[in-house]
Amino acid sequence: MVSATVDSEADILSNLNINAGDWPSNLVNNLCLLSPDQIELGKMLVEMGQSHLFQQWTDPGVEDDKKKAFFAQVAKLNSSYPGGLASYIKNARELLADSKVGKNPYDGFTPSVPTGEVLSFGDDNFIKYEEAGVKEAQNAAFVLVAGGLGERLGYNGIKVALLAEATTGTCFLQLYIESILALQEGSCRLTQGTFQKDIPFVIMTSDDTHTRTLEVLESNSYFGMKPTQVKLLKQEKVACLDDNDARLALDPHNKYQIQTKPHGHGDVHSLLYSSGLLKVWLYAGLRWVLFFQDTNGLLFKAIPASLGVSATKQYQVNSLAVQRKAKEAMGGITRLTHSDGRSVVINVEYNQLDPLLRAAGHPDGDANCETGYSPFPGNINQLILELGPYIEELTKTGGAIKEFVNPKYKDASKTSFKSSTRLECMMQDYPKTLPPTARVGFTVMDKWLAYAPVKNNPEDASKVPKGNPYHSATSGEMAIYRANSLILIKAGVQVEGPVQQVFNGQEVEVWPRITWKPKWGLTFSEIKSKVRQSCSVSQRSTMVLKGRDIFLEDLSLDGALIVNCIDGAEVKVGGSIQNKGWLLERINYKDTSSPEELRIRGFKINKLEQLEQTYSEPGKFILKPQC
């Protein structure tokens, strides 16, 4: 029996033109267990210098299931990376060699301020771009990068299920879907379309978030969106690397499993390419793909005008950005021109931008200009790409995005790592491979309107130096109320200013708790048209508007007001409304008697008294309390 097995292995190796002495004996001994495809994968691993993976393999008949599981994992790693595992290892060796010698990725490049559009909320230019963007929305697809859990926030769920604000209990995923549906409806209305086009919505998930994202969608009936509009694309992890030779790392607890880690949100490009969705969208007449990340409750306030800029300026790549103070801890959108004539507009991380400018002859480095801000706008990782050129570029690269490696070396010799590393990629690095002729620009918005990410847990946020953003659940929620208050002020409402309060060790501005469904106010001109005569809202007030046709007419609010109405119901709200309202009550993030989604923001809402009215039939109504 042993002789037959040996003969079989010899035949296999002979057919593959392989000398048995070139292969690890432990792999040769187990060839009889493997399919032809698995043997080809084994051949690739050996040729790529990965023989160490088989050193501890047992003889056939022992742990055979684990050996087959190993090759199933290798097949998955091979198929999920553009060019396969061999390309991954080759790329890793090149990047690790550059890292070891300290190669500067910007060597030979000179930084300059790129071309872009700087918008001021509410002026004629802003309104013009907003209208253009809403019209164009029916030709767009939206892509949400949502591979992360909320552990860093002190929240055990997926981040998109976290409440954007506690007044209505709306989670981020619901806010995003309702915003896309409002754009879908508004686009049809503005273009006087005969039928409403469904805007595609893709969510990139991971092993950590895929099942739970699907559960949130299904248990909430997709928040009103058709299930056929939503596609989930699951991101796979990549192999870890043990040393500068890019030897793949084995799991320390399982000799038959390669250690893996996330590759980064840049995977969204290869997933879209390999899924075939991009060509489906192109054939359907779509023109734009909008990318955004998981916990920024303000972003859809900026999207209509930004999309309008892309359409008007014909940008192939439009990076959404905000005003940024010099040396602020966020990347800057920068044009880099190489000495050989190459030019690219990309995000440069803040800790690289300042030395890059100094090396290029700017003695002050990253400094504020006459506007009081850095001329290099702050990147917020929201991209608008023109679909046709995007497909052309990904076809050239196979969907691959420029990667980087960030090994933690044990010492200055840079010969060994403290722990295994891996290649990473970022969504915003897509423009790195574009030709100089590509039309790449940016759109700068007011920060209060466009950017309030939720990233830090209460303890970390409370340690942020004074004057810097907390980027917590507390600050993210307060930013929504602030933006809504400022928008209404711009529309002519007298909104009382904020008070300073401390929640979970963070001092924040507390504005009136004003919220509305996206369909009530998608654009500034739409909001302005729904505010009539003299209206006022006190600081302690709460106002929730759930419905498209709610008009505020000579309203004086001092308390809590909630208006719900279906499409077809038109409601005029006015008069003096005064009640005990809703109060914010402090809770400590360590207090486990409260739900963690409230603990991490440091308060709960005590609903003392409110005026709430629901209109569930079509018609015209007036809500005006009689004195």
Side-chain angles (χ1 to χ4, degrees), residues 46-180:
V46 172
E47 289 174 349
M48 296 304 297
Q50 306 297 327
S51 296
H52 66 283
L53 296 173
F54 307 101
Q55 277 177 358
Q56 300 179 62
W57 276 35
T58 55
D59 288 335
V62 182
E63 301 177 315
D64 289 350
D65 287 345
K66 291 183 178 180
K67 296 166 190 171
K68 291 175 182 175
F70 169 86
F71 273 103
Q73 184 195 22
V74 170
K76 193 174 185 181
L77 290 169
N78 191 56
S79 63
S80 61
Y81 186 83
L85 256 179
S87 287
Y88 180 78
I89 295 164
K90 179 175 174 288
N91 293 340
R93 284 181 181 145
E94 291 174 2
L95 288 168
L96 284 165
D98 289 346
S99 174
K100 186 176 180 181
V101 299
K103 183 177 178 182
N104 180 358
Y106 300 120
D107 193 33
F109 284 98
T110 302
S112 60
V113 180
T115 303
E117 190 74 20
V118 180
L119 300 184
S120 179
F121 176 78
D123 67 12
D124 291 345
N125 199 39
F126 185 90
I127 290 168
K128 176 192 76 174
Y129 281 126
E130 268 200 327
E131 183 174 343
V134 173
K135 285 180 179 176
E136 201 66 34
Q138 63 186 328
N139 301 319
F142 286 79
V143 181
L144 168 61
V145 176
L149 294 170
E151 291 167 330
R152 182 177 161 191
L153 295 166
Y155 175 65
N156 285 307
I158 55 174
K159 287 200 283 185
V160 292
L162 182 66
L163 298 186
E165 42 86 7
T167 296
T168 63
T170 300
C171 72
F172 282 103
L173 188 54
Q174 178 180 358
L175 176 62
Y176 298 153
I177 286 178
E178 288 178 349
S179 298
I180 293 168

Side-chain angles (χ1 to χ4, degrees), residues 215-367:
E215 285 170 357
V216 170
L217 288 167
E218 290 177 346
S219 62
N220 290 283
S221 302
Y222 285 74
F223 299 108
M225 187 172 267
K226 295 176 187 174
T228 50
Q229 281 178 257
V230 185
K231 301 280 188 211
L232 270 59
L233 298 179
K234 186 159 75 76
Q235 171 188 29
E236 301 296 345
K237 294 178 179 176
V238 291
C240 290
L241 309 161
D242 251 347
D243 55 29
N244 286 323
D245 292 326
R247 284 157 45 102
L248 302 184
L250 284 169
D251 188 311
H253 307 293
N254 184 349
K255 63 186 178 185
Y256 296 105
Q257 185 167 307
I258 295 170
Q259 194 179 358
T260 59
K261 289 182 183 178
H263 189 218
H265 46 57
D267 274 352
V268 69
H269 301 296
S270 60
L271 282 172
L272 285 170
Y273 176 74
S274 61
S275 72
L277 278 174
L278 297 177
K279 288 189 176 176
V280 171
W281 294 343
L282 189 68
Y283 296 146
L286 298 192
R287 190 180 171 197
W288 309 102
V289 188
L290 289 90
F291 297 84
F292 61 101
Q293 290 188 281
D294 43 20
T295 53
N296 179 7
L298 298 179
L299 66 93
F300 273 89
K301 297 182 187 302
I303 278 176
S306 302
L307 182 54
V309 169
S310 281
T312 306
K313 301 277 187 180
Q314 297 188 324
Y315 284 154
Q316 292 172 6
V317 178
N318 184 5
S319 294
L320 276 64
V322 294
Q323 293 168 324
R324 170 185 162 276
K325 290 286 187 181
K327 301 177 182 66
E328 186 177 342
M330 65 189 309
I333 308 294
T334 310
R335 176 176 292 281
L336 296 176
T337 305
H338 198 271
S339 54
D340 64 10
R342 283 179 292 141
S343 175
V344 65
V345 177
I346 57 163
N347 170 67
V348 176
E349 290 304 325
Y350 71 97
N351 57 344
Q352 296 172 312
L353 180 59
D354 188 68
L356 185 62
L357 284 162
R358 291 177 189 276
H362 301 275
D364 296 329
D366 183 20

